[in-house]
Each structure stands twice: as structure tokens, then as C-alpha cells.
Amino acid sequence: MSNDENFAAAYREHYWAVSRYVARRLDGRTSEVEEVVAEVFTVAWRRRADLPAVPLPWLYGVARNCLANAVRGYGRRRRLVDRLGNDDTAHGRHIVDSPDTEAPGAWVHEALARLSPADQEVLRLTAWEELGVEELAVALGCGSRAASMRLHRARRRLRAEIDRTSPVTAPKERSHG
């Protein structure tokens, strides 16, 4: 197959996986998701001669870089809007969640949010994108031993966060007949 055909196949096979990857990291901000995904495939088109035989982990690596650029740009725009005073809080529009709006499993997301961005990404790549260690290494741009160690450490830190914040339950009493 030619480089163009390889790109077309990668696009057809992995567009939705890359879209889901980006959407989960941008909390579904649709217009931004579409922009980032378009940038991922623009980079892939320009580098179509570099597409590996199994392109999805490589595309995730490209998406990580595109997301980083988008998040930096979003932060710059947000700071500008804040300086201009043209945000919802400046106009008295506050949205307050009701106490019962906590989503199921929110405690896991809260524990994950307390980890470093690098640990969060390693865990998301393995849990959400279902990458194995070899694929994780490609997405992170490191060797498989380094990827395996990063995953092990990230899991250990997540477990520690969960243990630290989970409610302590009293040991069950044994019934005596």
C-alpha cells in the first residue's frame, strides 16, 4: 500500500478511537474536540510516511501533543477573558450543583485528579484506551520497560489516593451463635 492508502486506512479505522480519546480529556467540549482531532489527522497526513504498521498508539501520541497545545491555547484565552471581565461570573451567572449531582464513581475521578498529569495520562491510556504496555510505550514515546514502570507507579499512587480518601468502615463483628 502507498503512504496515502496507509493514511486513509488509519483514518477510517481509528478516527472514532482518537475522537473518544480527545473527548474524554476535554470533557466533551465538542468544538474543541473536533479541532484537536482535525489537527491530529493533519499531523498524521503530513507524516504519513512515518505511520507505523499499528498506527493507533502512534496517533494517541500525536493526540497527546495536540491536546497539550490546545490546552495551552485555552488557558491563554481564558486568562484574556478573565482580564477583560467578560465571563459568566462577572455577569452574575453562577451555576451551583445540587448536593445529589455526584456521578457514580466520582470518588475514583477525584482520586485520579489528585495525581500528576503524567500519572493520569498513563492510567487513562491503559484504562480508557485499553493499551497494553508495548502500545503505551509507543504513545508515551519511551521504552516498554519505562512504560511498565510508569504504569506500576501510577497505579500505586492511585491506590494510595483512594485508600487515603475512602471512608473507613468498621470491621464486622463476628456473631457468636
Side-chain angles (χ1 to χ4, degrees), residues 74-152:
Y74 178 76
R76 285 191 296 270
R77 285 190 302 277
R78 185 75 234 151
R79 285 189 298 278
L80 177 62
V81 167
D82 287 347
R83 271 188 266 136
L84 295 173
N86 191 19
D87 63 352
D88 286 345
T89 58
H91 297 288
R93 291 186 292 250
H94 298 279
I95 298 172
V96 179
D97 289 333
S98 72
D100 60 346
T101 59
E102 185 172 305
W107 57 273
V108 174
H109 293 285
E110 290 170 10
L112 184 65
R114 286 190 293 274
L115 297 177
S116 72
D119 282 350
Q120 290 178 35
E121 185 62 7
V122 166
L123 293 168
R124 287 177 179 143
L125 283 166
T126 56
W128 290 353
E129 309 332 317
E130 300 177 354
L131 296 187
V133 172
E134 296 296 323
E135 296 165 319
L136 178 64
V138 172
L140 296 175
C142 65
S144 60
R145 294 183 82 201
S148 179
M149 185 56 71
R150 286 184 189 181
L151 177 59
H152 172 74

Side-chain angles (χ1 to χ4, degrees), residues 8 11 13 25 30 40 57 72 75 87 100 105 107 109 132:
Y11 181 85
E13 291 175 33
R25 283 149 182 84
T30 308
V40 169
R72 280 192 297 274
D87 63 352
D100 60 346
W107 57 273
H109 293 285

